[in-house]
Amino acid sequence: MQTKLHQWAAGDPGRRFNDLFNLVCHPDFLAVVWERVSGNKGARTPGVDRVIPWFISEPTEVADFLGATRELLRSREFAPLPVRERLIPKTGQPGKFRRLGIPSARDRLVQASLVLVLEPIFEADFKPVSYGFRPKRRAQDAIAEIHYYGTGSRSYEWVFEADIAACFDELSHSAILGRVRHRVGDKRVLSLVKSFLKAGVMSEAGQYQGTVAGTPQGGLCAAAHKPPYEQRWVMRSVGLLGLVGAWPGIERCA
């Protein structure tokens, strides 16, 4: 099904998908993503629900959990819980922390199913030179491309590295949803994405914080929310005194 979604999206860049919700809550999709959720490194860490995914392992427990989640989705009664905030010290930067958001067990399941459905569609819109947050791609691939273009007859002379400050914290919800609507016409899926964006954060001090912008790092959908920004010519917006304008082919980015 993922292969079909990708082929349809790649074959028609203007196509909008109107019946995706049934895939998100399909028993086969939920079963596949639960194997991934319960088997990853974070499976032993609970969210605000204090449910540890790794402990839901018996076949009957898994069947009950997936079945209950599916019914909540189909009845439109599913509502994500706030993510549990955890502050991680930044390496080499004393006193500075990175905020991670840990979703509840059920929220991870639904997020992972959303990613399984939406990823092949949005993958069709990425350019080959983009490596961030994409399946079967990693930072080492971007480094290898830098080496490739910096040697031999290609002989690129400049590598420009830039970072967007607090990127995840400042993402516009309206911009994200607007970009998703270009490809997704299923209002039930759009509603799910919006509900995750607006779920809020439970701080380490136990205080609830609403989210008017941004998406917590650590959730499975965090990377999926980045496509609206990933393909921009970022360097054209930072005012480099014409440096970028001198090389119109500088759109190679990781």
Side-chain angles (χ1 to χ4, degrees):
M1 194 63 233
Q2 280 191 306
T3 300
K4 289 181 179 180
L5 289 171
H6 181 74
Q7 289 174 342
W8 292 333
D12 183 0
R15 177 167 181 165
R16 296 181 77 220
F17 293 79
N18 294 308
D19 189 14
L20 298 175
F21 184 78
N22 289 328
L23 292 178
V24 173
C25 59
H26 193 283
D28 293 342
F29 273 71
L30 293 176
V32 167
V33 298
W34 181 248
E35 289 184 7
R36 300 180 183 180
V37 169
S38 60
N40 67 22
K41 292 181 180 179
R44 296 174 182 265
T45 305
V48 297
D49 59 347
R50 296 300 174 186
V51 175
I52 300 175
W54 192 77
F55 286 163
I56 304 176
S57 56
E58 294 296 327
T60 53
E61 293 177 335
V62 172
D64 290 344
F65 184 70
L66 299 187
T69 302
R70 184 167 186 260
E71 289 306 313
L72 287 171
L73 287 168
R74 294 183 66 188
S75 65
R76 307 296 296 276
E77 295 179 3
F78 171 80
L81 297 173
V83 298
R84 181 167 72 89
E85 180 187 62
R86 185 174 180 184
L87 300 177
I88 307 297
K90 289 188 175 182
T91 304
Q93 301 183 51
K96 292 188 177 182
F97 297 86
R98 176 177 288 105
R99 295 177 60 192
L100 294 182
I102 304 171
S104 70
R106 178 163 283 124
D107 291 351
R108 285 182 234 185
L109 171 63
V110 178
Q111 284 191 17
S113 192
L114 274 171
V115 170
L116 201 66
V117 173
L118 296 179
E119 186 175 69
I121 296 173
F122 285 97
E123 264 292 302
D125 295 334
F126 282 107
K127 297 180 180 180
V129 295
S130 176
Y131 292 95
F133 303 102
R134 297 182 64 187
K136 299 181 180 179
R137 288 175 175 245
R138 53 183 185 164
Q140 285 81 354
D141 297 323
I143 294 171
E145 182 161 344
I146 290 173
H147 283 297
Y148 173 80
Y149 280 99
T151 59
S153 60
R154 295 166 294 275
S155 189
Y156 277 42
E157 297 180 2
W158 291 87
V159 175
F160 186 88
E161 190 273 340
D163 188 19
I164 302 174
C167 177
F168 282 97
D169 296 336
E170 302 297 334
L171 290 176
S172 165
H173 291 177
S174 60
I176 293 170
L177 292 169
R179 179 63 181 85
V180 174
R181 288 190 188 98
H182 281 296
R183 279 299 203 174
V184 178
D186 193 325
K187 293 183 179 180
R188 297 166 296 180
V189 171
L190 293 171
S191 178
L192 271 180
V193 173
K194 183 177 180 179
S195 68
F196 279 115
L197 290 172
K198 301 295 185 183
V201 177
M202 189 65 69
S203 72
E204 289 189 333
Q207 297 179 334
Y208 172 79
Q209 302 169 354
T211 45
V212 296
T215 178
Q217 296 186 53
L220 293 171
C221 279
H225 293 159
K226 282 184 63 61
Y229 301 87
E230 180 95 17
Q231 297 297 321
R232 303 304 177 103
W233 284 26
V234 175
M235 289 188 289
R236 287 194 179 277
S237 68
V238 297
L240 294 180
L241 303 178
L243 175 63
V244 175
W247 289 296
I250 201 144
E251 194 195 354
R252 313 199 66 82
C253 64

